[in-house]
Amino acid sequence: MTAPTSRPLSPHLTIWKWGPHMLVSILHRTTGSALTFAGLALLTWWLLAIASGAPAYEQFVAIATHPLGFVVMIGLTWAFWQHFFSGLRHLFMDMGAGYELKTNKLFAVLTIAASLFATAATWFILVGVNR
Amino acid sequence: MSMGKSATPLGKVRGLGPAGHGGGHWIEERFTSVVLVLLSLWLLFSLMMLPALDRATLVEWLRAPAGAVPMALFVIAAFKHGLDGVKVVVDDYVHAEGNRIATHFVLSMAAIGGAALSLFALAKIAFGAVAQ
């Protein structure tokens, strides 16, 4: 299908007043893309480093525990939780529920609150409790 | 692909949409998402519960079936779900059909390659082919 030229265009981002549901919808795509490209690359590298031997794993740890490495890992953790909760919201909405304006907005706000809380909790446990 | 006059409502919509299809892909994406709810929580809680994250601990964890099997399933589901997801983004923003198919091809190769590398590494660990 070539780009349709004669069909009307939907009013785009710039003319709408932003709301939490729009933000969460876009975040679902950006976090999903980030998890796919950066997250899966990191997963592959991590598994290969473990399989390759001690020097390769030490190199992985050295880069991962660099301040920038923490920024990436914490960022991906937040991306994971945001996509996770937003994904649950989508599964719920796929059943045809939660489209009422107030409910929809409330669940959108809740995914953001939950993802921030879960990210903090994850790193608190990863850094604080175990090691 | 039926556009225009058709006998049934289904026939009218079949083949429409940016992907030229959709139902099957949509269901598969939901299927892997539900699987990943379970497996990603398993992975995260496993990493939290391990006594340490040094290599010896990770090798021991991934050598046991309880570590290796869910991890293999996670790798497969995560690459499949990630590929399905970015394909939808591509369908929405890449309008020229040739570019769309070429982008799908490149993304599919990257996903299959990444999944194969991950599974190879995991198998090597699980079957004891690496030093502890």
Side-chain angles (χ1 to χ4, degrees):
Chain A
M1 224 183 293
T2 49
T5 47
S6 57
R7 285 158 64 182
L9 278 175
S10 168
H12 218 269
L13 294 177
T14 45
I15 73 155
W16 294 100
K17 183 180 155 222
W18 275 80
H21 16 44
M22 293 170 69
L23 175 68
V24 165
S25 171
I26 292 203
L27 281 179
H28 195 71
R29 286 203 151 179
T30 49
T31 53
S33 302
L35 288 166
T36 300
F37 290 105
L40 292 181
L42 193 69
L43 174 75
T44 306
W45 179 23
W46 181 62
L47 288 171
L48 281 172
I50 299 171
S52 297
Y57 191 70
E58 275 160 31
Q59 194 185 24
F60 173 86
V61 170
I63 296 170
T65 55
H66 181 275
L68 278 178
F70 274 113
V71 170
V72 171
M73 286 196 296
I74 294 171
L76 282 174
T77 310
W78 169 78
F80 166 74
W81 282 118
Q82 181 59 43
H83 197 82
F84 180 92
F85 289 117
S86 171
L88 289 182
R89 174 174 173 264
H90 274 292
L91 287 174
F92 184 64
M93 285 165 68
D94 287 343
M95 296 185 289
Y99 282 89
E100 301 80 4
L101 284 181
K102 277 190 177 168
T103 316
N104 196 282
K105 192 174 172 179
L106 174 71
F107 279 124
V109 171
L110 280 179
T111 65
I112 297 173
S115 74
L116 291 175
F117 174 78
T119 306
T122 304
W123 279 91
F124 180 77
I125 295 171
L126 271 178
V127 178
V129 177
N130 260 346
R131 279 152 272 275
Chain B
M1 193 182 285
S2 51
M3 310 255 238
K5 281 182 188 172
S6 174
T8 65
L10 179 63
K12 278 186 183 139
V13 296
R14 222 173 227 163
L16 297 182
H21 63 89
H25 181 276
W26 191 88
I27 294 283
E28 276 176 39
E29 201 181 10
R30 267 67 192 166
F31 183 86
T32 47
S33 79
V34 173
V35 170
L36 282 171
V37 167
L38 302 173
L39 288 175
S40 61
L41 288 181
W42 165 81
L43 176 59
L44 204 60
F45 282 103
S46 299
L47 291 175
M48 285 176 175
M49 299 313 236
L50 283 173
L53 291 178
D54 59 279
R55 188 168 166 275
T57 311
L58 294 170
V59 168
E60 196 191 334
W61 169 52
L62 292 175
R63 265 186 188 175
V69 174
M71 182 62 100
L73 294 174
F74 174 77
V75 166
I76 294 166
F79 273 96
K80 170 91 171 89
H81 186 75
L83 177 62
D84 280 347
V86 290
K87 271 182 174 174
V88 174
V89 178
V90 169
D91 289 342
D92 282 354
Y93 294 108
V94 181
H95 297 298
E97 184 67 351
N99 291 346
R100 191 179 75 85
I101 292 173
T103 315
H104 275 210
F105 179 77
V106 170
L107 289 170
S108 300
M109 290 302 107
I112 293 168
L117 269 176
S118 297
L119 290 175
F120 170 77
L122 182 63
K124 202 176 156 189
I125 303 163
F127 297 139
V130 301
Q132 187 94 31

